[in-house]
Amino acid sequence: MISESTSFVKGVLLGGIFCVLVTFLGHIKTGYWTKVRHHEHHHIQAPNQEDVSNLSEVERVELSQSIRVYCIILVKPKDLGHWAAVKETWSKHCDKAEFYSSEKVKVFDSIALHTDDMWVMMRKAYKLAYDHYKDEYNWFFLAHPTTFAIIENLKYFLLKKDSSQPFYIGHTVKSGDLEYVDGEGGIVLSIESLRRLSKVLEDPDKCPEQGGMIWKLSEDKQLAVCLKYTGVFAENAEDSEGKDVFNTKSVGSLIKEAMSNHPQQVVEGCCSDMAITFNGLAPNHMHVMMYGVYRLRAYGKSLYLSMTQIKKNEDLVKYNFKLFLSL
């Protein structure tokens, strides 16, 4: 009997090991761990002062009008407080913003996706956005409800970028061999990237809808895996000084870090003057950000973030943003 029990236990263990190997090989087949050609992410910078000053007024107007940003905000019922704050604050500055929710919620208009799996939500949202708006918008910005975005700064960053090229932009992170844009800071896809993504979404071998049995990647990593098969790679967005503009933390957290690391230069050490996103904000903090970015003015000064006057007001924008951060 002891011998039979021992054999049974050994059989269970061997069977378990075999299942692990099969699952692992299955991941390799579907591409989770397949090495796609070596690529180090690029560091894409915002236009510098010389780039902008060399543009004529007509060119600036044409460029600003050609940048059409569609905002996708992924939400769940538990996010109602943040949902309301985003709806009342920064999302109004998108050319169009829509909320994609895990289920239908009566109190807010949204596109119900009927799933609470974040990766399935993301891929469904991207597919619907492409099918409905591929001819109307050339940049697609995806954010979580805890993110605050300054869309004018995003448009400034994209001022001289060609949306017909496969841009996949945000705050990049490296995980093993995989480089991806961290969804906490927001994700920007050009229309060309979204076009390629919409095609690979239909290929379950390269871009499966469900994660593996053992290793389940986060939705932002899953997105990077699918995009790599189309030749689209994560690219880190920076200002002209090399500072990140997509932030995965709140202003408060970044200021605290700067006070510890750069006590003599808290504002300069905290964040880029042309920051595009901050994350981890409570709903009331979003309203504070809205006041600081769009309404707070130094006495005798006028803060007007028109894309046609971005160069003229650049120093004023920096001054007001620094003043807000120093409060």
Side-chain angles (χ1 to χ4, degrees):
M1 290 294 291
I2 294 175
S3 177
E4 290 179 0
S5 295
T6 303
S7 298
F8 176 75
V9 171
K10 287 182 178 178
V12 170
L13 289 174
L14 288 172
I17 293 170
F18 177 75
C19 288
V20 169
L21 287 173
V22 169
T23 304
F24 180 73
L25 292 172
H27 278 290
I28 293 176
K29 182 179 178 182
T30 56
Y32 279 107
W33 306 106
T34 301
K35 286 189 178 180
V36 186
R37 68 180 180 84
H38 180 70
H39 175 90
E40 290 295 334
H41 71 253
H42 296 155
H43 294 257
I44 301 182
Q45 292 193 331
N48 57 38
Q49 293 184 8
E50 186 177 350
D51 289 335
V52 178
S53 62
N54 288 336
L55 294 173
S56 68
E57 191 72 11
V58 173
E59 287 176 320
R60 291 182 197 173
V61 172
E62 289 178 350
L63 279 172
S64 65
Q65 291 177 344
S66 70
I67 299 171
R68 300 272 295 160
V69 177
Y70 175 79
C71 296
I72 299 169
I73 300 100
L74 300 179
V75 292
K76 294 183 178 182
K78 66 181 179 62
D79 302 319
L80 286 181
H82 286 90
W83 188 340
V86 171
K87 186 177 178 64
E88 291 302 314
T89 57
W90 66 265
S91 66
K92 293 182 176 182
H93 291 252
C94 302
D95 291 297
K96 184 177 182 66
E98 289 189 307
F99 294 82
Y100 289 77
S101 59
S102 57
E103 59 188 80
K104 191 69 177 176
V105 178
K106 292 182 179 180
V107 292
F108 289 116
D109 290 331
S110 66
I111 299 169
L113 300 175
H114 306 293
T115 177
D116 61 0
D117 183 290
M118 287 302 296
W119 167 232
V120 180
M121 285 181 65
M122 180 183 282
R123 57 184 289 136
K124 281 187 173 183
Y126 274 135
K127 190 68 170 65
L128 288 170
Y130 180 75
D131 290 343
H132 293 160
Y133 301 116
K134 59 179 178 290
D135 297 322
E136 294 182 50
Y137 304 96
N138 49 4
W139 295 98
F140 293 79
F141 172 63
L142 182 142
H144 294 302
T146 54
T147 300
F148 184 95
I150 302 144
I151 300 301
E152 287 79 3
N153 283 0
L154 173 58
K155 288 193 171 187
Y156 173 70
F157 182 85
L158 299 172
L159 194 61
K160 300 188 73 177
K161 307 294 186 295
D162 184 356
S163 62
S164 67
Q165 297 301 310
F167 282 108
Y168 164 39
I169 305 171
H171 176 79
T172 57
V173 180
K174 192 174 179 74
S175 176
D177 290 333
L178 181 68
E179 290 174 301
Y180 65 98
V181 171
D182 191 333
E184 297 283 305
I187 301 170
V188 176
L189 295 182
S190 65
I191 184 60
E192 174 58 19
S193 288
L194 189 57
R195 183 189 70 79
R196 296 187 188 190
L197 177 64
S198 68
K199 285 189 175 182
V200 81
L201 286 175
E202 299 171 358
D203 187 339
D205 288 332
K206 294 180 179 178
C207 189
E209 183 170 304
Q210 298 295 337
M213 293 171 58
I214 296 179
W215 296 280
K216 183 172 176 59
L217 300 181
S218 61
E219 66 277 7
D220 43 15
K221 290 181 182 179
Q222 294 263 19
L223 175 64
V225 170
C226 296
L227 286 172
K228 285 183 77 171
Y229 274 108
T230 72
V232 180
F233 299 91
E235 314 208 64
N236 195 66
E238 302 168 354
D239 65 14
S240 57
E241 297 178 354
K243 294 179 181 178
D244 287 338
V245 292
F246 287 84
N247 295 290
T248 59
K249 299 179 181 179
S250 68
V251 176
S253 296
L254 293 170
I255 288 178
K256 287 179 181 178
E257 290 179 8
M259 290 177 70
S260 298
N261 301 326
H262 311 282
Q264 303 304 317
Q265 294 181 312
V266 174
V267 174
E268 290 79 1
C270 159
C271 327
S272 167
D273 294 331
M274 297 305 296
I276 295 171
T277 63
F278 295 97
N279 186 56
L281 277 73
N284 60 317
H285 293 157
M286 290 195 183
H287 288 283
V288 172
M289 285 289 293
M290 199 70 181
Y291 170 75
V293 173
Y294 292 103
R295 294 188 61 191
L296 180 63
R297 294 172 174 82
Y299 178 75
K301 299 291 184 180
S302 175
L303 178 58
Y304 178 54
L305 291 175
S306 167
M307 289 298 295
T308 63
Q309 296 184 348
I310 191 69
K311 175 62 176 70
K312 187 185 299 183
N313 293 312
E314 190 170 277
D315 292 337
L316 183 58
V317 172
K318 289 182 178 181
Y319 174 78
N320 277 273
F321 199 63
K322 285 182 178 180
L323 180 62
F324 168 67
L325 289 176
S326 66
L327 293 178

